[in-house]
Each structure stands twice: as structure tokens, then as C-alpha cells.
Amino acid sequence: MIKSELNRIFKSRKSIITLFIIAIMPIIDFFTHIYGEILVYGGYNPTFIFHPVYSSFLSGSSIGSFTQILFFWLLPLYFLIIYSDSASIDLKNKYSIPLITRIGKQEYYKTKFKIAFLFPFISVFAILTLNLLLNILIFHSGTSFAGLEGYYNTFDNWSSFGFTHPYIYYLIYIITNSFICAGCSIMGLCCSILFKNLYIAYPATFFIWFIQIIIPFGIGNTIQPYTEYGFTYFVSGLFIFILILFVVCAITYFSKVKKDEIY
């Protein structure tokens, strides 16, 4: 079933287009930096060129940061389109019942959750890592953190670590963001299973995510490095996200997966 579910993603036009949109955002951000730091300032002066990690996508240091905003505000919707809405689609197309009858309910859901987690994690990790490597290649001489490097001694140990060990620090954020993307995909799958209706699953998933963006100590402090917030904010946003994800998964498991009904 794993192979068929992966084929389902790669043979779906909407999934491929959405994955392409996710991949193109860091590339647009990369070229925005080339324009702003090299073409505008006319060279590789380290005073004006950002450090490779600070010019990378997650740092949100490009002009307007519009690609980063577009990516993170709509994050769960992308992965719903790519795969997480598949449970509702299976039910709508009357595909789930014969499949569950053939392979078993536990195996059906286990495969769904595996794909929903691993595909976004691996895809986003690869995209963000490629973006970082491109920035290292082009902005290798950059040293600037937009002036923040002059004040890092006044920050907490976590923020200071970001300036003394920038590549390790940024890699932690790549892994964290890959996990958050995978978690959003799982959350979308849960809503798809719970509501069995795309018109409810999409708004419900977005609402759960949007609440986490706007609340204090929310996920916004976890996804972006080199902000004025420290380790407490980073961990709190991640903790709240994991807690909500756990609750949604628990509700899905006990209300749908564990029940004796086929669906």
C-alpha cells in the first residue's frame, strides 16, 4: 500500500503543483537576496552581504519576507492538498471500504500516517537544505546579520549560540521546521479522517494552525531563527504544537481508528 500511496502523490497534478510551489518559494527568496545584496550593493562586500544562514529562507531576511509569510501562514493547506486530504477522498470515491476490508483497518491507517509524516519531512528537509547550500555557494563571503551580531552578547545563550555556531543553529531550525511541516500534514490527515468532508477538514486544520501563529509563545517563535526571542519562546511554541498535535491524534485514534466500524 505504501507504494500505491506514493504513486498517488506523484501521479496527482494538484500534488505535484503544490510541491513545486513549496520548492519554488525558497528559490524566489534566494534570488531576492541576490538582487538586494549583490546587484544593489554592486559586489561582495562582507559589510553588506548577509551571512549564508541569515540569507537563507527560514531567517526571513529578504525584502518583505513575502515568500516566508506565504509559506508559513498557509502551511497545513499545502500538505492537505498534497496528501492529507486522501482519507476524505477515499471515502467520497468509495475506495476506503474495499481497501480496509482487504488489508485491514490498522494497516490502512498506519500507512496513511506514515506517508503523511515522512513525505513532508523528507521533502521540506531536502528543500531547505538545498536552499542553505545555494546560499553558502553564493554568499560564502558574507558576514552580516543585519547588525544583530554586534549585540548578541546581550541575548540569552540560545540566541548567542546562533551567532557563534550559525550552521549548527540553522540546521536545528531546518530539522524543527521539517518536523512541524510533517506535524501539520498529520493534523490535516486527522481532520480529514474526523470530518470525512474536505469543506470542513480544510478550515478546521487551518484554524488550529492559525491559532498557534497568533497566540503569545506560539509557533511563530519556533519556525524562524535570529529573532529577538530566546530559547523559552522557541521551546514553548514547539511544546504547544506537539501538545495540540497529540490531542488531535488521540481524538482521531479513539473516535475513529480504534472503533470496530470499517470507517
Side-chain angles (χ1 to χ4, degrees), residues 26 56 58 122-136 170-171 174-175 178:
S56 295
L58 295 178
I122 294 171
S123 300
V124 172
F125 183 86
I127 290 168
L128 294 178
T129 301
L130 177 60
N131 174 256
L132 174 61
L133 293 175
L134 287 173
N135 279 279
I136 292 173
Y170 193 82
L171 181 60
I174 287 180
I175 295 172
S178 300

Side-chain angles (χ1 to χ4, degrees), residues 34 36-37 69 89 102 118-119 122 130 214 235 246 254 262:
I34 290 179
E37 295 166 50
I69 293 170
I89 293 175
R102 181 166 60 87
L118 291 175
F119 187 83
I122 294 171
L130 177 60
I214 63 175
V235 172
F246 175 80
F254 288 108
I262 291 180

Side-chain angles (χ1 to χ4, degrees), residues 72-77 180 184 187 191 202-223 236-245 248:
F72 284 111
W73 277 67
L74 301 178
L75 189 60
L77 303 185
I180 290 171
C184 282
M187 199 175 297
C191 289
Y202 274 73
T205 307
F206 179 75
F207 177 77
I208 295 171
W209 174 251
F210 184 73
I211 289 296
Q212 295 180 71
I213 291 180
I214 63 175
I215 61 173
F217 294 93
I219 199 68
N221 303 312
T222 304
I223 57 181
S236 65
L238 187 60
F239 175 78
I240 292 171
F241 176 77
I242 294 174
L243 179 62
I244 293 175
L245 180 61
V248 173

Side-chain angles (χ1 to χ4, degrees), residues 6 13 47 120 135 141 147-148 162 179 221 229:
L6 288 174
R13 182 175 297 179
T47 304
N135 279 279
S141 63
L148 294 175
F179 172 78
N221 303 312
Y229 303 104

Side-chain angles (χ1 to χ4, degrees), residues 10 12 17 21-22 28 40 59 72 77 96 98 111 122 126 163 178 181 196 198-199 210 223 237 245 247 254 263:
F10 291 114
S12 168
I17 291 174
I21 291 172
I22 292 174
I28 294 173
V40 172
S59 297
F72 284 111
L77 303 185
S96 56
T111 302
I122 294 171
F163 294 99
S178 300
C181 289
K196 305 179 184 180
L198 297 181
Y199 295 105
F210 184 73
I223 57 181
L245 180 61
V247 171
F254 288 108
Y263 202 97

Side-chain angles (χ1 to χ4, degrees), residues 43-93:
Y44 281 87
N45 188 337
T47 304
F48 300 112
I49 302 299
F50 286 154
H51 189 284
V53 299
Y54 196 70
S55 61
S56 295
F57 180 67
L58 295 178
S59 297
S61 57
S62 62
I63 300 172
S65 303
F66 72 96
T67 51
Q68 191 199 41
I69 293 170
L70 184 62
F71 178 78
F72 284 111
W73 277 67
L74 301 178
L75 189 60
L77 303 185
Y78 297 127
F79 298 107
L80 268 165
I81 295 171
I82 290 173
Y83 180 76
S84 297
D85 63 1
S86 61
S88 293
I89 293 175
D90 284 353
L91 183 64
K92 180 181 178 181
N93 295 336

